[in-house]
Amino acid sequence: MTDFSEEQKRYLEGLGRGLALARAAATMPAAPATSGPERIHLEAQNRVLASGGKLTREEEAKRAKHAFDMWDEMAANAAAAQFPKGTDVFLYKFHGLFYVAPTQDSFMLRLRNPNGIIDAPKLRTVAAIAEEFGGGYAHVTTRANLQVREIGAQHTLRTLERLAEAGLTSRGAGADNIRNITGNPTAGIDPTELYDTRPLGLSLHHAILNHRELYGLPRKFNIAFDGGGSVASLEDTNDIGFRAVRAKGEVGFRVAVGGITGHGDFAGDLGVLIRPEQCVSLARAIVRLFIDEGDRTDRKKARLKYVLARLGRERFLGEVEKRFGAPLERFALAECEPRPALRRGAHVGFHAQKQRGHLYCGVALPVGRMTSAQMRGLADIAERYGSGTLRLTVWQNIIVSDIAATRRAEVAAALTELGLTAEVSQARAGIVACTGNSGCKLAASDTKRHALAIADHLDRTVTIDTPLNVHITGCPNSCAQHYIGDIGLLGAKVPNGEAQIEGYHVYVGGGFADQQALGREVLRDVPAAEVPPMIERLLRAYLESRAAADEPFHEFAKRQSPEALRALALAAEAA
């Protein structure tokens, strides 16, 4: 028998691929008929199916039913006091409602607070919802947002209605959507900032709310603005980070993409300089590319980082320009002026604003927790002494702005009456903790309880005179971003005889902005009870061995090998 020629072989291979695609197309589930804006998602799913791929369970759920067409089903469930089942649990998250069983047989409600800013009347509404329908408290999140827990199934619709009546929303606060838009919490009041990003954050927030195609992405998506203020927005940890810079005698924005520190990457500079008025349109163009190219077959790879890695930076940029509708100006980062310096720790305490004679007050919240009474009290303080504006931060605290400098003592006294303060140690000010296993089924440890134990121990045993961040996260999803902490803790189940106890893997030397670095693993399987003294040993070694009195812990850690840091953390144990 005569062998096929190379040309014949290529023809037969092509024919075989065509037949395979035809068979796949004939057998794949029919897409729901739609001519609406969300058809771009169905088209992306169809391309996966036509190529022989298998959609994830979540993609199948979105394909079968749009989450924003569920109001009647949700009403029926609320009337029967029933929680959602199956993939409806996932779809409820589009409304900001998370059924968090088995840790709590209830909903957690997550809001959207663009720029992390909320006014006093709205905070009182959140306090009322928490008190009437939930557990009487709220948490500030690591996206400068609010979460209310312990909401019963019967209260879902009334909760959403109360939000809408107050001008609040939870739309798209969870699931495969663009999460809360963040920015510098001191935007508009910071003496050092280059650009007040609040209007940009608000504009993007409303664009998202009013464009149905910007929901149901391949996975969640984070966007942040940095206007050059003294308190960080952590824009370099986002899928898109817009950073104000001065170049060519004016202020523009750099664009960084692909940040996801839980997967080992900060956002990388895209090599372009844009005008402020281009930010929102460019964000939408990048999201559109993610919709078209994001992985819908593997949730672990369904982030913008992996689209960037697959396409490469130049092709990625070209595809963005197609969707943006115009070329972008290439401009070297080195040609931009350095960013104004961050002031780590300036999210807590009293600090001067750019407005003469006025202060802002960063209130330390114990692991981001506020009771309903404290929320109402903070709203009263904001109205009585400030402009009625409250600013949530990614450090899980709250800032009251626009306070007359002459009334500082009155504000401090009013906080004391609420059981709160603006004056805490460096160690306590820098502790960040995710929800933990008291409210999240994915977490391996009770992060918030352990965070308080760490703060209490360090306040008793060691005095730190430089800013310090300890980030405590319960699972590899890293909601508390353990990789960027000076000390990062990742929850783990630690063997203890035949049983398991709560504990942590320990990472040291993380940082952000001009100290950008991923923490290096130093220890594994440290029981939770042993973590506070272990951190104390590390901090004592730092205080005894730092190169100068003002050397940050980050710089000290960078000079040490992981083995040396491990030895320091275990030194007292060995003794």
Side-chain angles (χ1 to χ4, degrees):
M1 181 175 179
T2 304
D3 290 337
F4 292 113
S5 68
E6 288 301 315
E7 184 177 352
Q8 289 170 323
K9 288 178 181 178
R10 287 195 296 271
Y11 170 79
L12 290 172
E13 287 172 1
L15 179 63
R17 285 195 296 270
L19 290 171
L21 288 173
R23 284 195 296 270
T27 58
M28 71 181 183
T34 181
S35 59
E38 63 268 30
R39 68 183 181 278
I40 59 175
H41 297 278
L42 297 173
E43 290 166 356
Q45 293 169 341
N46 287 344
R47 288 193 293 272
V48 171
L49 295 170
S51 65
K54 179 177 174 54
L55 297 173
T56 64
R57 183 169 178 260
E58 290 80 4
E59 290 296 318
E60 292 285 5
K62 291 182 289 186
R63 188 178 180 84
K65 178 167 53 180
H66 200 292
F68 295 145
D69 297 330
M70 293 178 62
W71 189 259
D72 291 343
E73 292 178 59
M74 294 170 66
N77 281 343
Q82 292 180 347
F83 291 104
K85 297 180 175 60
T87 54
D88 280 357
V89 173
F90 166 73
L91 294 176
Y92 264 57
K93 294 178 185 178
F94 279 66
H95 299 269
L97 291 166
F98 293 67
Y99 180 40
V100 293
T103 54
Q104 292 174 333
D105 192 30
S106 59
F107 283 109
M108 178 269 283
L109 169 72
R110 181 184 295 157
L111 306 184
R112 294 188 76 96
N113 289 293
N115 301 316
I117 294 175
I118 188 169
D119 62 32
K122 290 177 182 175
L123 187 60
R124 290 193 187 96
T125 296
V126 177
I129 288 172
E131 195 165 58
E132 295 173 36
F133 304 140
Y137 62 94
H139 287 147
V140 178
T141 77
T142 53
R143 288 206 65 77
N145 208 348
L146 285 170
Q147 293 181 168
V148 177
R149 307 192 75 88
E150 300 182 46
I151 295 174
Q154 70 274 26
H155 298 312
T156 53
L157 256 62
R158 187 59 189 134
T159 295
L160 297 179
E161 290 166 354
R162 287 283 292 277
L163 290 178
E165 290 160 6
L168 290 162
T169 185
S170 59
R171 187 180 178 90
D176 296 351
N177 302 306
I178 304 170
R179 302 298 177 81
N180 196 47
I181 304 301
T182 57
N184 305 94
T186 52
I189 61 174
D190 197 310
T192 70
E193 73 180 359
L194 298 173
Y195 195 92
D196 179 358
T197 61
R198 289 176 297 174
L200 296 177
L202 275 175
S203 180
L204 182 54
H205 167 77
H206 288 295
I208 293 165
L209 292 182
N210 290 286
H211 285 86
R212 192 173 168 107
E213 73 274 16
L214 298 184
Y215 297 87
L217 311 179
R219 194 80 193 273
K220 71 176 182 178
F221 202 94
N222 295 325
I223 304 176
F225 292 90
D226 172 56
S230 58
V231 182
S233 68
L234 300 182
E235 86 288 346
D236 54 359
T237 67
N238 285 252
D239 294 284
I240 306 174
F242 293 104
R243 186 179 62 176
V245 293
R246 189 175 295 280
K248 301 187 296 184
E250 57 187 19
V251 175
F253 279 84
R254 303 298 301 188
V255 185
V257 293
I260 174 171
T261 56
H263 291 213
D265 263 331
F266 287 95
D269 188 78
L270 201 51
V272 298
L273 181 68
I274 66 171
R275 300 186 304 276
E277 63 268 22
Q278 292 178 303
C279 287
V280 173
S281 295
L282 184 58
R284 290 180 59 190
I286 295 172
V287 172
R288 285 294 300 264
L289 176 58
F290 181 55
I291 291 168
D292 291 337
E293 297 289 344
D295 196 326
R296 296 177 185 265
T297 68
D298 183 351
R299 301 283 284 179
K300 293 180 180 178
K301 301 292 184 182
R303 294 297 297 269
L304 188 67
K305 162 186 169 165
Y306 298 100
V307 175
L308 179 64
R310 177 165 51 82
L311 296 181
R313 193 165 300 277
E314 280 307 310
R315 185 181 166 199
F316 180 95
L317 183 53
E319 292 294 327
V320 168
E321 288 176 319
K322 289 179 186 177
R323 291 159 178 81
F324 183 64
L328 297 167
E329 179 186 4
R330 271 59 170 179
F331 195 86
L333 179 60
E335 297 299 314
C336 301
E337 295 180 16
R339 183 199 189 284
L342 290 168
R343 288 192 299 130
R344 291 183 61 189
H347 60 285
V348 172
F350 289 90
H351 302 273
Q353 294 184 187
K354 67 167 63 173
Q355 293 80 12
R356 185 184 298 275
H358 286 79
L359 306 169
Y360 73 82
C361 172
V363 183
L365 302 176
V367 290
R369 191 178 191 274
M370 298 181 287
T371 66
S372 290
Q374 287 172 329
M375 284 186 271
R376 285 192 292 269
L378 286 167
D380 291 343
I381 289 171
E383 287 182 332
R384 186 180 310 129
Y385 302 109
S387 60
T389 301
L390 300 111
R391 300 156 179 263
L392 311 172
T393 83
V394 297
W395 312 108
Q396 297 182 306
N397 70 304
I398 194 165
I399 289 172
V400 180
S401 62
D402 312 306
I403 300 166
T406 55
R407 309 198 73 178
R408 172 174 174 163
E410 294 174 71
V411 171
L415 290 174
T416 299
E417 291 181 10
L418 294 176
L420 298 172
T421 182
E423 307 292 341
V424 293
S425 66
Q426 296 281 9
R428 193 175 291 272
I431 286 183
V432 175
C434 72
T435 297
N437 63 13
S438 64
C440 176
K441 66 181 179 182
L442 301 177
S445 53
D446 191 348
T447 55
K448 288 194 181 292
R449 179 169 63 85
H450 297 149
L452 291 174
I454 291 168
D456 290 343
H457 179 88
L458 296 181
D459 279 352
R460 288 194 307 268
T461 60
V462 62
T463 299
I464 299 297
D465 53 5
T466 56
L468 180 79
N469 287 107
V470 180
H471 291 239
I472 309 168
T473 200
C475 79
N477 286 333
S478 193
C479 292
Q481 303 198 86
H482 65 288
Y483 277 117
I484 68 167
D486 290 302
I487 299 171
L489 304 175
L490 171 61
K493 291 299 184 185
V494 176
N496 183 37
E498 296 183 0
Q500 289 185 321
I501 58 175
E502 294 179 11
Y504 294 90
H505 307 320
V506 182
Y507 297 77
V508 177
F512 52 90
D514 60 337
Q515 296 181 349
Q516 190 179 97
L518 294 171
R520 296 166 292 166
E521 187 179 286
V522 171
L523 290 167
R524 292 185 67 82
D525 296 336
V526 180
E530 297 177 18
V531 168
M534 180 273 298
I535 295 178
E536 177 197 347
R537 290 191 290 271
L538 274 175
L539 296 180
R540 287 192 181 280
Y542 155 64
L543 293 172
E544 293 168 4
S545 307
R546 57 187 174 179
D550 61 349
E551 181 183 38
F553 181 88
H554 172 86
E555 294 298 326
F556 162 79
K558 190 165 64 174
R559 290 192 285 106
Q560 317 296 323
S561 68
E563 293 76 19
L565 290 167
R566 183 176 186 274
L568 293 173
L570 298 176
E573 279 189 351

